[in-house]
Amino acid sequence: MTQTTNGYQAAPLNGGVWTPLATPFLADEEIDYAAWKTHVLRLAGSGSGLVIMGTNGEAIHLSTPERFELVRSAREYLAEAGLSSTQIIAGTGTGSVKETVANCRDAARAGADAAIVILPGYFAGAMAKDRFAVKQFFTTVADQSPIPVMVYNFPACVGGVDLDSDQLIEIAQHPNICGTKLTCASIGKASRVAAAITRPGFHVWSGFADIIIPGMMAGMNGVIAGSGNIIPRTLVHLYNLTKQAIDEKDWTKLQQAQEVQKIVSHADWVLFKAGIPGTKAALERWYYPAGVCRMPLQPASKEVRAMLEAELQQALEFERQLEIKANVTPAKP
C-alpha cells in the first residue's frame, strides 16, 4: 500500500459505480474549492467512487499543481466527513511517459488509490501504426507508478485510436495494470478482456451508463459514467439491482433493473449530447453552481439547457426519491 501526504493508505479498487467529477471553475477560471468540496461530498455520500481529472473533469486544462491539489483536497474533505473509505482514481495521462509517471507519483502522494491513463492523442497517427509503442507507453507507466494503473480506451479523445481486445489483454499481463475503462462501448471487447484476465482486483468498466446491464452480463464489474454527476444514486441503485440479479439468478431483480436501465439510458444519452458544459448547467439547475468551463469550451447554449429541462425530468424524479429515502436534501424541482 502507498502512504500519502494525508496519511491515507491506498487500497485495491472495488467494483461498482464511479463518477468522473466535473471540476468547478470560477468566472476567472480558477478552481472553486468551496464548490469542489460540496461536489466531492455529495457524490461520495451517494455511494459512488470518485474519478478526479477524468474527461468530465477537464483534465487536459489542468496544471500539475492543480492536479495534485484536487486529489489532496478531496482526500482531506472525505476524511473530515467520515467518508475515508471512498476510493479515488486520478486521471494522470498526458503526452509523454515521463510526465504521466510524474502525475502518477503526485496522485499517489495526494491520496489516490489508482491512476487512469489515456493514450497520448497528439501523435495518434504514429501511435495507431505502432502496437509496440502503445504497449510500451502503458507498461512503462505501470512499471514506475506507485499505484495501480487503469488503461483508458477512449478513441474519440485520442485521434480515433481504438485499442482492441488483443492489445488490452497483452497490456494487462503487467501486474500493476488493474483494469480498463472502455469508452468505446464495445461489450464484446469487454467480455473477451474479462474472460482473459481473471486475477483478483482486475476490473473491466464501461464508460457509459446506458449499458450497465448488458455490460455486467458480459463480464464488466462497474461503470465510470459522467451522468453520475447528476444521478449518482440512480446509477448505484441500478448497479446493485443488476449485481443481485446476476449473483442470485433472480429474474425479478433483473426485471426491476431493466426498468431503471430505461431511465438511465435516456438520461445518459441526454447528458452525453449536452457535454461537459451541459453537465455543469444541470448541476447548477438542480443542485449547486459548478461554475464555468475553461476556454475554449463554451457555456451550454439555450438549446442545450432546454433539452436538459425537457429530457431529464424522469431521471431527476427517480433520483429525488432515492435522495429522500436516504434522508438527504433532494434535487430542486
Side-chain angles (χ1 to χ4, degrees):
M1 292 188 176
T2 302
Q3 181 76 33
T4 74
T5 54
N6 309 65
Y8 175 75
Q9 293 286 346
L13 297 180
N14 298 316
V17 171
W18 293 74
T19 299
L21 279 71
T23 305
F25 298 112
L26 298 164
D28 62 1
E29 297 194 12
E30 293 300 309
I31 296 172
D32 183 347
Y33 282 101
W36 177 239
K37 181 175 183 179
T38 299
H39 197 40
V40 164
L41 295 183
R42 170 175 157 261
L43 294 183
S46 75
S48 174
L50 309 182
V51 177
I52 296 173
M53 300 172 300
T55 302
N56 273 266
E58 299 178 64
I60 194 68
H61 295 162
L62 297 167
S63 68
T64 297
E66 287 173 333
R67 286 172 176 261
F68 177 85
E69 184 58 21
L70 281 170
V71 177
R72 189 210 65 77
S73 60
R75 182 53 68 197
E76 180 180 276
Y77 304 151
L78 293 170
E80 292 171 349
L83 294 167
S84 292
S85 62
T86 300
Q87 294 186 299
I88 294 174
I89 301 174
T92 60
T94 60
S96 71
V97 167
K98 181 179 176 64
E99 189 176 4
T100 300
V101 168
N103 285 342
C104 289
R105 290 171 176 160
D106 278 352
R109 288 193 303 111
D113 294 274
I116 186 165
V117 175
I118 194 167
L119 193 71
Y122 192 87
F123 295 111
M127 296 289 285
K129 302 170 188 174
D130 193 337
R131 293 174 76 90
F132 173 77
V134 170
K135 178 183 176 183
Q136 184 188 53
F137 174 76
F138 288 110
T139 57
T140 305
V141 171
D143 280 340
Q144 299 180 45
S145 173
I147 49 178
V149 172
M150 293 202 74
V151 176
Y152 184 11
N153 186 51
F154 193 179
C157 286
V158 293
V161 180
D162 187 4
L163 304 182
D164 62 41
S165 55
D166 292 342
Q167 287 175 296
L168 289 166
I169 291 167
E170 186 176 6
I171 292 165
Q173 301 304 315
H174 193 292
N176 203 33
I177 298 291
C178 66
T180 182
K181 176 190 176 185
L182 300 179
T183 312
C184 52
S186 174
I187 294 175
K189 184 187 298 184
S191 181
R192 292 188 292 274
V193 175
I197 310 298
T198 59
R199 65 176 179 266
F202 186 86
H203 302 277
V204 180
W205 289 335
S206 169
F208 297 102
D210 60 359
I211 56 170
I212 286 179
I213 291 179
M216 290 179 68
M217 290 290 185
M220 291 182 177
N221 62 340
V223 63
I224 302 175
S227 53
N229 283 280
I230 311 302
I231 52 169
R233 292 180 186 274
T234 302
L235 300 192
V236 171
H237 181 64
L238 174 56
Y239 170 84
N240 289 337
L241 279 174
T242 306
K243 191 172 189 309
Q244 290 166 11
I246 294 170
D247 292 347
E248 301 167 14
K249 298 180 174 55
D250 188 328
W251 177 245
T252 301
K253 285 281 196 326
L254 181 58
Q255 289 178 309
Q256 293 171 6
Q258 287 173 319
E259 293 305 308
V260 181
Q261 181 70 82
K262 293 174 186 176
I263 297 170
V264 167
S265 294
H266 183 71
D268 204 55
W269 176 236
V270 169
L271 288 162
F272 177 79
K273 291 187 290 183
I276 298 168
T279 296
K280 289 190 170 182
L283 282 169
E284 182 173 9
R285 164 64 180 85
W286 283 288
Y287 288 101
Y288 36 74
V292 301
C293 297
R294 279 187 171 167
M295 292 187 287
L297 291 181
Q298 300 296 301
S301 66
K302 291 181 180 179
E303 291 77 13
V304 166
R305 290 174 183 270
M307 176 185 69
L308 295 170
E309 192 72 38
E311 300 292 334
L312 285 184
Q313 292 299 334
Q314 184 183 22
L316 263 296
E317 180 54 36
F318 195 89
E319 185 76 9
R320 283 189 199 101
Q321 293 173 15
L322 294 173
E323 289 168 333
I324 292 168
K325 187 176 180 180
N327 199 30
V328 298
T329 302
K332 293 180 284 188

